[in-house]
Structures are given as structure tokens and as C-alpha cells.
Amino acid sequence: MAIDASKVPQITLPNGGSIPCIGMGTFGSDRVSAEEVAAAVAGAVRAGYRLFDCAACYGNEAQIGQVFQAAFDEGVVERKDLYIMTKVWNDMHRDVETACRKSIADLRCGYVDMYFIHWPFPNYHAPHCDVDARNPDSKPFSVEEFLDTYRQCEALVDKGLIRHIGISNMTIPKLEAVLGRLRIPPTACEIELHPCFQQQELFDYLNAHHIQPVGYMPIGSPRRPERDIVETDIADLELPEMRAIAQAHGVHPAIIALKWAVQRGQIPIPFSIHNYIANLECTMTEPLTEEEMRTIGTLERHNRLVKGQVFLWPGAKDWNDLWDEEGRIVDCADAEEN
């Protein structure tokens, strides 16, 4: 089944241009092979998807690039029809252009529509590591280091390698520290957003600063990496309110989570091997009522699923230090106090 891509609602970006209101993520969560992800992307392109969220660290850009090239060669789409997003990984913050050029070559896309700084610090961990893994070279967030990385992204805009700059996994204190010092404002910020983790204050802050929220894990990601799963996590789709709304619409609760995301104004980027057509189609079918939107608005449980433990620096207390939950950036001085 194919959906007319021209019928998928578009969002006008704060600094011009448009982007589909929903995209396809390509993170296999350490559970899905690169080949399986690429096969899903191949099906999604032909089904009508035009927005794809990639990343160097997902380890599958070369396979996805083969899919894009085949779609171009077969006339399924032209490059200008796709909105391709990717990210610089933490170990390349000091050499962003090299990382970007490799992603462009792997994805066979010529340029990147949106290039994200994947995490706001250069703390690196090995692929598929467990929750206790720590890199002794990890450090707290540094304004100057972040600005150095961001300015490299600005240079890539000047060179025509990327069209928009994105930031990701930021907090309000970090944004406050850097936004006033950027020559080219960020177009979007990719953060964890789902019914039980709505991040309303950050969501409102981004909108107030004309930064488009992009939501990863929009259905609560039941297949996320094992290292991010703890017993206290809440399964969004199993909440009775979500199930009741889904029953009223005759759909799976995942569809309700995506409808809520789109109607709220964030761009969800779910990954699915089998259900991607339904995910896209739901943006054009019966919307949620105002009452249903209000009901989902009450489901905030501060249920952060991506804790980020593997990015902690020596002396950090726990994963909460990554997210500036006390309203200030946690730095080396805090670590020494701990």
C-alpha cells in the first residue's frame, strides 16, 4: 500500500521551508540489524515517507544509502523529495566536517537537510555497551566546547553541505548558555517526547525560541536498548487512558501516541519494521478530540526512558546530573562536591 506523499501534512519550519509532520527513525535499538533497518526504509520510501532520521552511530547509514540510491535510480523519488536528517557522533565533535562528509557519502544524498549535534558533549561510549560502561575521558557539558562544535556546523551551512542545524538532548540551562552566542540559530531540537514524558517546560521553551521540537521514542520505545530499561519505567501504551482512546478510534494505542504528538506540534520519528504504513497514515485520518488531547495531557509521569548513564563523567552522582534537573548545568565543581 502506498500513501500519496503530497497529502501528508507539512510543518513550516521557523526559519523557512517545510518538513513532513512525521518521519521514520532508523535506530534499531541494538535489537535490529542494519539490513533490517534498511529494508524497512526501502518499504517506507515506497509507502510515501519523505522524512528520515539517521545517525552515524546507528551503524547503518551505508545500508540506508544503498536504499536511497536505488530509489533515486528507479525514479521512486528524487533527492529533493526527501528530507534527510543525520547527526555527528560524540567522538567527532572536533572534526565535524569529516563526520558530515562521511555521512553524506554513506547516505548517498549529496547534502544533509538537517544535521544534529547528537549529544551536547563529546562523551563517547563503545557500541552495544552495557549500562555500567564508563569512559574515563568523559566530561561535564562545556559551553566553549559545544560552541566550537556548533560553529563547525555553521561552517557546513556556509559550504552547502547542510541546510539546517539541529541540536539534541539539550536542557533549558544549556540552551540559555549558548543560544545567544550562535550565528545561525538551530532549526530543531530532537528530544525524548511521549505521553508519559511530555517535557512541557522544555517544549514550550523551544517553541518560544522558534526551535521545532522533534520527538524520539514517541510511543515509549518498548524495544529500546536493555541498558536503558529499569523496573520503574512506565509503559505508555498500556495506560488505561491510552487504551480507552485507542478503542474509541479502533486503532492500536501506538497510533494514538503518534496522533497526539502530531497534533501537539512535535515531529515524531518512530521506527517500525512492520507498522510504518499505519504510522504514516494516521496523520491523515480522524484526529483526536480536544477532550482526548486533554486526557493525554494528564499522563505526564516524568518517565524518562533514555537516562544516558553511559555518558557520565568521573565523579558524577548519577544520570540525573546529565539533565540539569535543578535548573543549572551540573559541572566539575559539583562532581568534586559529590
Side-chain angles (χ1 to χ4, degrees), residues 246-262:
Q247 185 175 11
H249 287 261
V251 298
H252 190 279
I255 296 300
I256 300 304
L258 296 178
K259 283 180 175 289
W260 168 79
V262 170

Side-chain angles (χ1 to χ4, degrees), residues 276-295:
Y276 50 82
I277 294 177
N279 292 347
L280 183 64
E281 187 179 33
C282 82
T283 65
M284 296 173 284
T285 55
E286 181 184 32
L288 302 181
T289 66
E290 292 184 7
E291 182 179 355
E292 289 167 339
M293 289 293 291
R294 284 194 295 270
T295 296

Side-chain angles (χ1 to χ4, degrees), residues 150-184:
Y150 196 95
R151 285 166 184 150
Q152 292 177 65
C153 292
E154 291 176 327
L156 297 181
V157 175
D158 297 337
K159 293 180 179 182
L161 293 174
I162 68 177
R163 295 193 168 178
H164 300 280
I165 302 172
I167 50 181
S168 185
N169 295 303
M170 292 289 278
T171 64
I172 291 176
K174 290 182 176 71
L175 289 164
E176 287 280 282
V178 303
L179 283 184
R181 300 174 65 180
L182 308 178
R183 176 170 62 89
I184 301 175

Side-chain angles (χ1 to χ4, degrees), residues 309-320:
Q309 300 98 320
V310 292
F311 299 118
L312 288 171
W313 55 88
K317 181 169 79 275
D318 58 33
W319 60 265
N320 294 276

Side-chain angles (χ1 to χ4, degrees), residues 40-86:
V41 171
V45 172
R46 287 157 177 79
Y49 275 85
R50 296 296 179 260
L51 170 60
F52 294 91
D53 179 71
C54 308
C57 80
Y58 298 167
N60 53 26
E61 288 194 326
Q63 291 84 353
I64 292 171
Q66 293 174 0
V67 166
F68 288 156
Q69 187 64 62
F72 301 150
D73 292 345
E74 295 167 20
V76 177
V77 290
E78 298 180 43
R79 170 63 185 93
K80 65 179 178 61
D81 298 325
L82 297 185
Y83 200 103
I84 298 174
M85 309 194 301
T86 188

Side-chain angles (χ1 to χ4, degrees), residues 115-154:
Y115 199 52
F116 288 89
I117 300 174
H118 203 151
W119 287 84
F121 34 68
N123 300 350
Y124 175 77
H125 70 78
H128 314 297
C129 67
D130 63 30
V131 70
D132 296 319
R134 298 289 184 274
N135 185 332
D137 296 327
S138 292
K139 302 174 184 177
F141 176 78
S142 162
V143 170
E144 293 306 321
E145 285 196 355
F146 179 86
L147 290 175
D148 175 79
T149 303
Y150 196 95
R151 285 166 184 150
Q152 292 177 65
C153 292
E154 291 176 327

